[in-house]
Amino acid sequence: MNTIPVDHYNEVKTTIGPDVSLLVVSKTRSEEEIMAYYALGQRCFGENHAQEILAKKDLPADIEWHFIGHLQRNKVRSIAPYVSMVESLDNLPLAKVIEKECARIGKVMPCLAEFHLAVQDENKTGLAEEDAFAFIDEIMKLPHIHLEGIMAMGPHTEDEEEIRRIFLQGKELFDRIREKYGDQIRILSMGMSDDYRIAVECGSTQVRIGSYLFY
Ligand SMILES: *Cc1c(COP(=O)(O)O)cnc(C)c1O
């Protein structure tokens, strides 16, 4: 039996095309499954727990680990050396800890600001749209953080029109931020297993896909 559904991987790659990048969300998945994707040439993987990144840190060094979950400030020191991007930056105290730890180890951390666009979903993390510019102005002052774009999740609904409305809101916010801060802002991370096709139609430049790519 195959370790991973290669047909799904090929389907996703074909659907998103060459201009959209694929983050394989490998949280809770085994080293064997990750290495099966590695053998296909996949190098970018997403994780949402500090402990799990540390447990997987001895996998090949050219793997890029993207942190996509809620990041506690007291976990930053342990993972900072191993993480290629923090996609879930949504508060200034966290940014200041990342700044301090990365200054200590001589690293500039690529980050995405995470936004909470679907107002009807309770208890979700992420910045409010109206706070975007005040937040990013502060982030831009931190020399060991390099803000490269934004991340957002679609709403928990099967209503395609509602999903599209939220993703278009994300695209519009991305365009406004890019207009103000320039080409440094290049990544719009939107779309997961159930909604990535819509996200790409709405202008996403990176999809984060987990369950569809594993058994
Ligand atoms: C788990 C997770 C994903 C992947 O979700 P799937 O529905 O399994 O594709 C994407 N983004 C974030 C932030 C996640 O936590």
Side-chain angles (χ1 to χ4, degrees), residues 162-178:
E162 177 62 8
I163 295 170
R164 190 175 306 274
R165 192 179 70 77
I166 294 292
F167 284 154
L168 287 174
Q169 203 178 313
K171 165 68 168 151
E172 197 234 2
L173 176 62
F174 173 73
D175 287 343
R176 282 196 287 133
I177 293 171
R178 193 175 151 92

Side-chain angles (χ1 to χ4, degrees), residues 28-41:
T28 76
R29 307 297 173 177
S30 69
E31 294 191 359
E32 189 189 4
E33 289 168 300
I34 293 169
M35 288 311 292
Y37 275 117
Y38 185 90
L40 294 178

Side-chain angles (χ1 to χ4, degrees), residues 25 27 48 68-69 151 153 191-194 208-212:
V25 176
K27 63 192 186 198
N48 66 348
I68 60 171
M151 188 262 262
M153 291 201 217
M192 319 201 306
S193 291
D194 292 336
R208 308 176 311 274
I209 303 190
S211 43
Y212 191 63

